[in-house]
Every structure is written in C-alpha cells, then in structure tokens.
Amino acid sequence: QQFQSFQNLGEEKNLVYLSKKIEPSSVLETSPLFDGLKKELAQNKFPGPNFTESYCWPPAAWGYDVVAISHQGNDPLLYIPPVLTFLQLKRACQALPNTTGVPLIVCPGWKKAKFVFDLLKTYRKAGRDLHPVLVILGQNKKAASHVEIQGCEVVVTTPYSLLRLLEHNCWLLCRLCHLVLDEVGVLFSDATEQVFTILDHYKKATAQGRGNPLHQIIAVGTRWNKHITRLMKEFMNDPYLVITVIEEAAICGKVQQVVQPCRNSDRIAELLRILDCTHRNLQKVLVFTDSVNEVEMIHKALKSNSIVSLKKHKESKCNAKCVSERWRKMHISGTPVVLVLTDDCLQPLEITDATCVIHFSFPSPEILGQRLQSMTDNFCTMVEDSSVDEEHAKAKSVILLTENSPRHAPGILDYLKHAEAEVPQELYDLTARMLESEEDEKFSRPLCASLKAFGICKNRIACPDRHQINLSIDTAQNIPDEMIKTPEHVTILPLHIVHATNYLGRIVNEQKDQYRILNEEMKNYFNVPRHRISVNTVEKSVFYGLHEGALCHRVQVVDIPAKEEENSACKVTIKYVDEGRTSQVNSDQLLHLPARFQSLPPQAVEFVVCRVKPIDNEIEWNPKVTDHIHHKIKGKLHHAKIVHTLGRTAWVDPVIRVTNLSSVKVWINEYNIRSEILSTGLGTDNPEHLAEIQKLCRHIQVPDGAENLEHSIKEDTAGLEKGSNPQDMSIQENSAESCDASGSSPCDDAAQTKEAEDSLQHQRKCCHPEIKWFQDNETVTVRVKIESAADTKCKFSEEKVVFSASSGDKLYLADLVLQQSILAEKSTCVIKDTEAVIVLAKEKPGAWCKLLKNKNIHVSLDFEHWEEPEDESPFPAG
C-alpha cells in the first residue's frame, strides 16, 4: 500500500490510500471513457470526475478488479461510466452479436436498485442502445419464472432477489462478466451470508466459463468492512484498492484504537502514564489538542517531567519547516519524539510517520481522520493483514475520554464499534446521555413514521423525527367518538394512501354519520353563489371552506409563504381536516366557513395496519405493494378492529372488506388487507409490532375515553367469530388466512391478535415512588426510594422535575411541580443501588418552606439529615 497526495483546485490536499500506483484522471475530456459517454455526461452537466472517480475510473475502465471506499462511495457514477466504457470496447472487438457477458449490479435495497436502473436508462444511448433490466423479486416462487432477461445487457437487483432468481435461472451467472457490489459495506453488514453465496456462485460459474472470458468485480462503498479482506483475497484477481477516507483506511491498515477514560483534571497525569509506555519502544508521538493554551500547558508539564518535546501552534515562533526537521532529526538520533500541536498545524508539517497519536482534546469524526493521517506510513498492508493483531499494530490512536467530552461522542462510538475496537462503558454512558439530549431537541418534531408503521426505527441517530411521546402533540383533543365507543367494530374509509400499511381517512358511523349530514349541509350552503365569500386575509391555523366542483371540504391553513404582497393571491398549504391529506391551493379559493360548520371536530384519523412489514430487512414498502393496496382500498368502506390508539392515530388489526351479496342475502369477506400484502410476496410477518407500540406508550396516563377503549380491547374475541351478520363477519380473517394446511381451526391471525390483546391485560401500571427531601442554602436534595432502578429518566425544567424508572416488573413515575424555580442546567440525578439522588440547584439562594406546590402523600421531609455524599464522577480516578 502507498499514499498519494492530489492537489485540488483549492489549497487543500487530499490523500488517497492505494494498493498500487494509479495515475489519476481528473479531467472529463481526457478520462478513459468512450467519446459518446463523455458527451452524454457533459450534456447532463456532470461536474466530475471528483477526487475518488479520478482514481477509480482508470483501472475499472481497463477491466481490473477494484475496491473503492469513499465519502462518495454510494454514488453509482463511481462505477457506471467505466463499466459502460468497458462494455463498449468489448462490443467493438466482438465479431458476433450477443456474445459479450452481462454486468450484474447488486444493490443493498430496492430503492437504490431503482435509482441505479434509472441512471442506466439515462446513459443508455451514449453508445449502442443499452437494455438494462431491474429484478426485484418477492417470496412468490412463481414470480421468478416470469422474469425475462433474454437480450438484456445489464441486470440490476438486490442480494435476496438475485438468489430467488438463481433458484429458477441458475444459467444467468454463466453469462456474467462484471459483478458490481454497490454500497459494499452495507451489503456485508445486512446480508453477509447472501453476498458470499452470490460470490461462491460467481466463482464457480466463472471457473467453468468457456474460452476464458474476462471477468471483473467492482466493490464500492462509504465504509470499510472486515469481509472486504476476504472478498479481495478469495474472489478478486490482484485488485486495485482505493480509499479516500483516512479513518476508513486506518481500519483497513489495522491502527490500534484505544479509549482511555479519566477525569478532566487528570488528563496530564494520564498523558504522562501513556508516554512512559511509548518511550520504552522509541515511538514517534503526536499529542493533539484544540487550543493554544493547552499546547503550552502540556509542553510545560512534559518539560517539568524531563520529557523532551516539541510544540507547534499558530502563535509559535518556530515555523513548520523548522519543526519538521527537528522531528526527523530527533528520531534519527535515537531520541523519543513528542510533538504537541493544534489541529490547524498538521497539514503544513506534512508528518506521516508518527507511530502514536494521543487525542488530548476529544475529536469529532472528521478531526479524528485528519489526525490519523499523520500515521499513514505505519498503516499495515493487505499482505500483513491476516497476521497482524491489534496488540502488535504499528500505529496506535489513544483517545482521552472525560466527563466533559463533547457532543461528538455518538459519532466516535459509532466509528469505534465499526472498527471493532474495545469500547469502555463510560463512552456508552456518555453517548446515551448525548442521544437522550438530542432526542429532547426533537421533542417538537412529528413522531417517527417508521416507529409507528413497523414498531422500530433502524437509524435513530440520523432520523430527524421524534422517538418518544410528546403528550401535547400525540394525545389530540376531540377524538372522534367512534374511536372509543366500539373499537372492536368500526367501519373505516381510507381516503389517502401514504403507503401499504398507513392511510388517512375517517371512521364512519353507518347508523348516523354526522360528517355526512354536515357535508350535505355544506354543499347546500355553498351551492348558493352569494354564500361563497372569498377570504381577504388568510390566517394560519384558521378553518375555511373549499369548494371543488361538486365537493365541499373543511380545510385548515397550515403554512403561508413569507413576504407575500398584501391583498395578492398566493399559494398556501392546507390540510383537509376530515381526510388528513395536505395540498396547496390559491388563497383566493378559500371561503369563509360559518361557525355552525366548525362545531363538528375534525374527522381525519390516521390508520396503521399491524403485524406486517417489508421483506428482506427493507425499511420502506416497495411501490408495487403500495400501488396494489391503493387501487384496492381507496374510497371503499372496510370493517376493522382498533387494537391501540395514540391521539388521532389508530392501529388496526384486522382490516377487512365486507361485501353484501344482496341477491342471496349473504355477507362475505372479500379480502383482508394484511393477507393482500402478504400475497404480493413483498411483505412478511411482524409479530413484535403491537408490543413495541405499547412499550412506547406505557408511560402515558390514559384519559377517560381511552380507558373505555382499553377495556373494549381486552374483551374476549371468541364472540366475534360466532355471528353471521356483517359486523361479526367483518372481524374474521379471510379463508386464506383462517385455516391451516389441513383446514383446521383456529386461525393463525386470530390467535396472534388474541395474544396481542391478552398482553394488554398484563400492561404494567405506574407507581409513585417514596420521596424524601432536605435542603441547604443553595440546593435541594431529593431522595427517590427505588431499588435496582433501570430505564431511568430525569428531566428538569424551571419549575418541574419528572423522574421515571422501572424496577422489577413495576414502573415508577414522579411528576413533581416545584414550589420555587430551579436552574435546570445545573441540577443533577445520580442513580444508586437503593435510591436515586436528585440535587436541584436553586435559582435564588435561601430556604424553601415546602418542596411542591401541591401536597403529595408520597413526599416527606428527610429528618435524618444524612450527610451529603462527595461529588461522584462516573469516571475512575487516575
């Protein structure tokens, strides 16, 4: 391996980690692509090639195996242009048509595969017309037999879909010439077994290929993965390795990653201890910090301990060239080298031969990469990779972790776990506190859609939405009566299909539909031209009328564009309050809505179908499933059972379309939505869904109406299967799902639904813990008696403290409204074996006459006046 520097148009230099020397091609006109493709890229205003593409395109276009890890590693243009170029060159050399091999592009999911397929169609006419095929297969075995790939020139698919296709068309790999692994790190993380199965098939097929055709594997991604080593050694032929992310190159190069917890006040002592170990091996050490003052402090401490060191920061008298020369000469003379510096001084020094980096100031992931760059000469090569363990690595990175380590802790923890380094518990704890703080910052955001739809969010750190309950948002007022009166028998009308299991619509009362009556009155009113009074000034959150042809709607303005001219019509965002969908209309279309039409609460309800999710660990529904459900259910009445509610969201299971055969006076179950989704082969069972939703909502105090709902949900479902009237029939599963293979009962879905309902009977109730308190002039100490507390949370505000925890099978909640104000940012909570100790910092010094505004029988004075414990830190001394 070697590093090459590449001068950008700007001042900054990038480093690239290479297995073999490559001459980069940084200009499109001189790049190794065929002319037609260059022209097509230029017409599409392609800005590249970027830094990574300039190194990847040449070997890939020449037909060599390539592994590329880059921040742009999820961009298909890293490999599509050179693959198309190579195909074009092969075509030019072929005497007969259709004798060239087929490139196979394997993507981590259907969405990325569709994106790659669309890109291929964009550039299909750059040379001879390209015929790409997108293969996304579900679990229906018959679907594979309908896939037509004869005559195709590029196949785009996913690991699971490809293996299903190979079960039916194993000869596909015989024509394979290029295998591209898109987002290789994600593929190996999420589908390791499937990817290696594909590679084994590919290896066998290419070994049996006639005429020794040329084969090529290209793997691109954003992160290194340990399985890439095996990929390169067992399945590639002398590959080119290109890594432009230094921290990923450090993982590939076996840099030992160490995290050393210590108190902030003990960092110097810890640094001296580490240096004592490194000096025994004559190492070259860089100590990084982020301030000039700390550089001076460290340099002075090393000098007082007889450690010869250099220093460099922006105020240093000695220039970069002078420091670099002294760095090299000290090591040559056999003197241990220690250089203390700030991050902004590294690049001018051009140091790449350090053996140890000590992060005196906690780095961000980006700063970490810059610092690791100073050890690139000592990264291990791929040849050494299998024989070098972490203890004997040439390069070492030591991070000092203190109680003051900043918000970068989650990113560093993610990197260390990715590097499979040993992570101390202190970093996990610090990250948990940081993530909880970040989650609190999302408190006004909507509740995560994935959490509602599937019971889980796979990437909470990156997800912009909330993953905890916000009572002011989630527990809506004016919930439609039908949601709580008879939740086991509701008729729902889906009007807007968000995706396969999430709909917006209404609950319909078939005996007396108040909305239908209101809507008729509105139509009659607005049919009179003089009643259609346009609104002069549109206000946010106000209700208006909207007359669209023969339809009338109640709408609410949710957004008005800024800086619009007064008295001019503009586009405003509205919500149809009785349907749930949003849209944009001209402000002059909005009509004055009389008060009598606003008395009925908004009827829109969000429906989520339970216990089904996409196959293959996908996080979104394939559009095929959503389109199928959309055409089947939109605007049609369905019978459903509500199994859980949160505000205006109802989780339903089952949901059935019931049809009346009037000629024979019989009601039949036409279909079950969950069964319809499963029948596509693109959905699978999700048994944990409802339990996860209940767990999310377990701390909510149930309002009176919802208590009736919970009581109704607990009712035994056996009676629902007895009758033959439409209401009874609506709760049964359809025949495909009601019987097992032998035709016996009971049905699986009914059993699982009953099991979910029974779990509600054991739902844990919140208890109020015993609390004692005492005070001094500056603080109030609150002792919460709770043994072996788990899942603890303590939230402070100016006049309130909310503490929650679990112990054994019980939940504890203390919502304390304080008599006087506190400084929330200076208040703390420490969990001990038998109690939680909460220390409240008073806003104003002085004695409090009482703790709470209102009397609480669980709260009393602590007459023992136990001694205040010493300030404890979660970090060990020394």
Side-chain angles (χ1 to χ4, degrees):
Q1 268 75 359
Q2 57 183 297
F3 275 85
Q4 290 181 203
S5 65
F6 177 83
Q7 185 71 47
N8 280 348
L9 294 177
E11 293 296 322
E12 187 178 348
K13 283 186 178 180
N14 287 324
L15 281 181
V16 57
Y17 185 54
L18 301 172
S19 57
K20 292 183 285 186
K21 186 175 177 61
I22 299 174
E23 199 61 43
S25 179
S26 57
V27 180
L28 182 60
E29 288 75 13
T30 58
S31 64
L33 308 180
F34 69 92
D35 291 340
L37 183 54
K38 291 180 188 178
K39 184 178 179 181
E40 192 76 24
L41 287 166
Q43 287 177 348
N44 287 319
K45 298 181 178 179
F46 174 67
N50 60 34
F51 180 64
T52 309
E53 289 163 348
S54 69
Y55 280 92
C56 287
W57 282 5
W62 300 331
Y64 293 104
D65 291 347
V66 177
V67 173
I69 305 298
S70 163
H71 287 307
Q72 296 81 35
N74 56 1
D75 185 355
L77 289 180
L78 206 56
Y79 59 82
I80 286 179
V83 168
L84 294 183
T85 296
F86 194 60
L87 282 177
Q88 187 74 8
L89 292 174
K90 287 181 69 177
R91 287 193 190 117
C93 299
Q94 291 289 343
L96 299 173
N98 297 326
T99 55
T100 59
V102 175
L104 174 66
I105 301 174
V106 181
C107 301
W110 69 262
K111 199 168 187 178
K112 182 61 180 291
K114 179 66 166 57
F115 178 69
V116 172
F117 175 70
D118 290 340
L119 265 182
L120 288 169
K121 288 195 297 182
T122 299
Y123 296 106
R124 65 190 297 177
K125 294 184 179 180
R128 195 181 76 183
D129 275 0
L130 188 72
H131 300 289
V133 171
L134 177 64
V135 178
I136 303 296
L137 289 175
Q139 295 174 329
N140 290 345
K141 292 186 177 181
K142 291 182 180 180
S145 62
H146 299 143
V147 175
E148 184 56 57
I149 55 176
Q150 290 289 350
C152 78
E153 292 174 289
V154 181
V155 176
V156 186
T157 186
T158 66
Y160 294 95
S161 293
L162 178 59
L163 291 179
R164 294 178 189 122
L165 180 62
L166 291 179
E167 289 179 10
H168 189 267
N169 293 317
C170 59
W171 52 267
L172 169 67
L173 291 178
C174 297
R175 290 185 58 206
L176 187 63
C177 64
H178 305 268
L179 174 61
V180 178
L181 301 178
D182 186 293
E183 296 191 48
V184 63
V186 178
L187 287 172
F188 276 132
S189 296
D190 295 350
T192 309
E193 181 181 346
Q194 289 74 19
V195 173
F196 277 120
T197 300
I198 292 167
L199 287 167
D200 286 333
H201 281 307
Y202 170 79
K203 189 174 183 178
K204 291 175 184 177
T206 53
Q208 299 168 1
R210 297 178 182 177
N212 192 27
L214 180 63
H215 295 93
Q216 179 186 38
I217 299 179
I218 298 175
V220 300
T222 57
R223 305 186 83 176
W224 181 261
N225 185 287
K226 63 180 180 181
H227 297 298
I228 295 176
T229 303
R230 180 183 167 193
L231 167 69
M232 295 176 68
K233 289 185 175 181
E234 295 184 21
F235 301 98
M236 289 182 157
N237 180 26
D238 193 20
Y240 281 78
L241 174 64
V242 179
I243 306 179
T244 60
V245 185
I246 300 302
E247 54 267 36
E248 297 301 321
I251 298 175
C252 172
K254 288 288 182 178
V255 174
Q256 183 184 1
Q257 303 283 353
V258 177
V259 180
Q260 184 59 53
C262 66
R263 293 174 182 265
N264 192 62
S265 58
D266 294 336
R267 283 189 297 167
I268 291 291
E270 190 62 40
L271 174 64
L272 293 173
R273 187 188 66 78
I274 296 169
L275 289 176
D276 183 55
C277 297
T278 59
H279 272 42
R280 298 171 192 167
N281 301 319
L282 198 63
Q283 300 216 14
K284 294 177 280 186
V285 182
L286 292 178
V287 180
F288 283 98
T289 186
D290 54 12
S291 75
V292 172
N293 290 338
E294 285 192 341
V295 170
E296 294 292 342
M297 177 186 72
I298 296 167
H299 183 67
K300 184 177 179 180
L302 297 181
K303 186 176 180 180
S304 64
N305 282 272
S306 303
I307 298 176
V308 179
S309 65
L310 307 173
K311 66 178 179 179
K312 184 71 180 85
H313 53 71
K314 61 184 178 182
E315 299 175 10
S316 298
K317 295 179 181 179
C318 190
N319 60 34
K321 185 178 180 180
C322 173
V323 174
S324 296
E325 288 179 0
R326 292 180 63 190
W327 167 270
R328 282 187 286 271
K329 288 178 179 178
M330 287 176 66
H331 181 69
I332 292 172
S333 65
T335 305
V337 186
V338 179
L339 171 59
V340 187
L341 71 163
T342 52
D343 295 301
D344 54 0
C345 295
L346 177 61
Q347 188 170 319
L349 292 171
E350 296 184 339
I351 293 175
T352 58
D353 62 344
T355 57
C356 180
V357 165
I358 300 174
H359 308 271
F360 193 81
S361 64
F362 197 84
S364 67
E366 294 76 20
I367 293 296
L368 177 68
Q370 294 176 26
R371 294 175 178 180
L372 295 177
Q373 178 179 314
S374 62
M375 298 190 292
T376 51
D377 290 356
N378 292 300
F379 286 8
C380 295
T381 65
M382 291 295 294
V383 175
E384 298 170 326
D385 182 75
S386 59
S387 60
V388 176
D389 59 24
E390 195 178 73
E391 289 297 322
H392 298 90
K394 294 181 181 179
K396 184 177 182 179
S397 168
V398 183
I399 298 175
L400 298 185
L401 174 70
T402 75
E403 68 274 21
N404 295 337
S405 295
R407 56 186 177 85
H408 304 302
I412 294 297
L413 174 62
D414 179 60
Y415 174 74
L416 293 171
K417 289 167 67 178
H418 166 52
E420 298 187 343
E422 185 175 337
V423 180
Q425 184 60 43
E426 289 88 347
L427 182 55
Y428 282 110
D429 295 340
L430 179 61
T431 300
R433 292 196 294 273
M434 293 304 304
L435 292 179
E436 185 175 346
S437 175
E438 288 179 7
E439 192 66 36
D440 289 341
E441 292 175 5
K442 303 177 185 177
F443 208 52
S444 60
R445 294 282 304 167
L447 188 62
C448 172
S450 179
L451 197 61
K452 289 195 286 187
F454 310 122
I456 186 173
C457 177
K458 292 188 177 180
N459 193 354
R460 293 196 175 204
I461 296 178
C463 179
D465 291 331
R466 176 169 45 89
H467 302 90
Q468 58 182 328
I469 299 301
N470 182 338
L471 294 178
S472 63
I473 297 175
D474 297 321
T475 53
Q477 302 298 316
N478 297 323
I479 296 174
D481 290 341
E482 288 76 13
M483 287 183 72
I484 56 178
K485 281 183 178 177
T486 55
E488 72 278 15
H489 296 288
V490 294
T491 301
I492 69 172
L493 181 65
L495 296 169
H496 177 69
I497 313 303
V498 179
H499 58 65
T501 55
N502 185 211
Y503 329 124
L504 302 172
R506 292 192 292 111
I507 296 176
V508 178
N509 187 327
E510 295 188 274
Q511 277 72 42
K512 186 178 180 181
D513 189 351
Q514 295 288 348
Y515 175 74
R516 188 177 300 169
I517 297 170
L518 172 71
N519 194 251
E520 286 296 325
E521 292 176 356
M522 285 174 56
K523 280 200 289 186
N524 292 335
Y525 177 83
F526 284 118
N527 279 339
V528 179
R530 60 187 173 85
H531 290 161
R532 296 199 286 269
I533 305 170
S534 296
V535 179
N536 292 326
T537 304
V538 175
E539 298 179 49
K540 195 173 179 179
S541 302
V542 175
F543 283 62
Y544 298 102
L546 182 63
H547 195 260
E548 294 180 319
L551 300 176
C552 289
H553 303 280
R554 298 189 302 171
V555 300
Q556 183 181 32
V557 174
V558 294
D559 188 44
I560 302 173
K563 296 182 180 178
E564 291 291 337
E565 294 183 12
E566 291 187 11
N567 301 322
S568 64
C570 62
K571 286 282 186 183
V572 296
T573 304
I574 60 167
K575 180 178 181 179
Y576 294 77
V577 298
D578 300 309
E579 297 181 18
R581 63 188 172 98
T582 59
S583 181
Q584 282 195 329
V585 298
N586 289 325
S587 58
D588 56 6
Q589 291 179 256
L590 300 179
L591 306 174
H592 174 71
L593 187 67
R596 69 177 186 272
F597 296 142
Q598 300 184 36
S599 59
L600 184 69
Q603 297 296 291
V605 176
E606 179 185 30
F607 302 107
V608 180
V609 177
C610 293
R611 295 188 304 116
V612 63
K613 63 182 178 181
I615 59 170
D616 303 341
N617 297 317
E618 296 277 6
I619 60 174
E620 295 181 58
W621 284 108
N622 189 302
K624 293 179 182 178
V625 188
T626 297
D627 291 345
H628 174 69
I629 296 301
H630 179 276
H631 292 303
K632 203 165 191 75
I633 73 170
K634 184 178 179 181
K636 297 177 183 178
L637 294 174
H638 293 74
H639 291 261
K641 178 174 183 178
I642 298 176
V643 294
H644 195 85
T645 62
L646 179 63
R648 304 187 72 85
T649 300
W651 283 263
V652 286
D653 184 24
V655 184
I656 297 171
R657 170 71 172 168
V658 179
T659 303
N660 179 15
L661 301 180
S662 55
S663 58
V664 290
K665 297 182 179 180
V666 172
W667 293 81
I668 64 168
N669 294 346
E670 185 178 336
Y671 58 79
N672 175 302
I673 290 181
R674 181 173 179 275
S675 299
E676 282 293 315
I677 294 171
L678 294 173
S679 71
T680 65
L682 297 169
T684 189
D685 191 35
N686 185 12
E688 298 86 11
H689 186 186
L690 184 58
E692 289 297 323
I693 298 301
Q694 292 168 351
K695 181 180 176 182
L696 175 71
C697 302
R698 66 186 178 187
H699 294 301
I700 295 180
Q701 291 184 350
V702 183
D704 293 340
E707 286 178 357
N708 296 333
L709 169 62
E710 182 179 344
H711 175 74
S712 299
I713 292 173
K714 291 179 182 177
E715 294 293 330
D716 194 287
T717 59
L720 299 175
E721 301 177 1
K722 294 179 181 178
S724 58
N725 62 68
Q727 290 284 11
D728 292 333
M729 292 289 287
S730 70
I731 307 303
Q732 299 176 24
E733 302 283 359
N734 67 15
S735 58
E737 215 172 336
S738 296
C739 302
D740 57 23
S742 62
S744 62
S745 286
C747 66
D748 291 340
D749 266 27
Q752 290 185 34
T753 304
K754 179 64 165 64
E755 181 181 348
E757 291 160 3
D758 288 345
S759 71
L760 276 171
Q761 294 179 349
H762 305 290
Q763 196 168 10
R764 296 174 290 177
K765 304 275 185 177
C766 284
C767 305
H768 199 297
E770 179 187 353
I771 293 175
K772 291 190 175 184
W773 71 283
F774 67 93
Q775 62 178 317
D776 59 27
N777 195 50
E778 304 285 340
T779 64
V780 174
T781 302
V782 179
R783 299 168 60 194
V784 184
K785 296 293 183 181
I786 180 171
E787 294 199 359
S788 304
D791 300 324
T792 56
K793 288 186 178 181
C794 191
K795 295 183 179 179
F796 302 95
S797 58
E798 186 179 0
E799 296 182 350
K800 191 174 183 181
V801 179
V802 180
F803 173 86
S804 64
S806 61
S807 177
D809 61 347
K810 291 184 178 180
L811 286 174
Y812 291 89
L813 175 65
D815 191 343
L816 308 176
V817 180
L818 304 173
Q819 169 68 17
Q820 297 192 44
S821 299
I822 62 170
L823 300 174
E825 68 277 8
K826 293 186 177 180
S827 300
T828 61
C829 176
V830 177
I831 308 302
K832 300 191 174 184
D833 290 339
T834 59
E835 64 181 7
V837 180
I838 301 171
V839 180
L840 307 176
K842 296 177 180 179
E843 186 181 63
K844 296 179 181 179
W848 287 11
C849 59
K850 60 179 180 177
L851 178 66
L852 305 179
K853 280 189 175 181
N854 302 309
K855 186 174 177 61
N856 187 324
I857 60 172
H858 303 286
V859 180
S860 61
L861 279 170
D862 183 6
F863 292 102
E864 297 176 7
H865 291 288
W866 50 276
E867 289 187 9
E868 185 176 350
E870 293 181 5
D871 190 21
E872 293 182 7
S873 168
F875 299 87

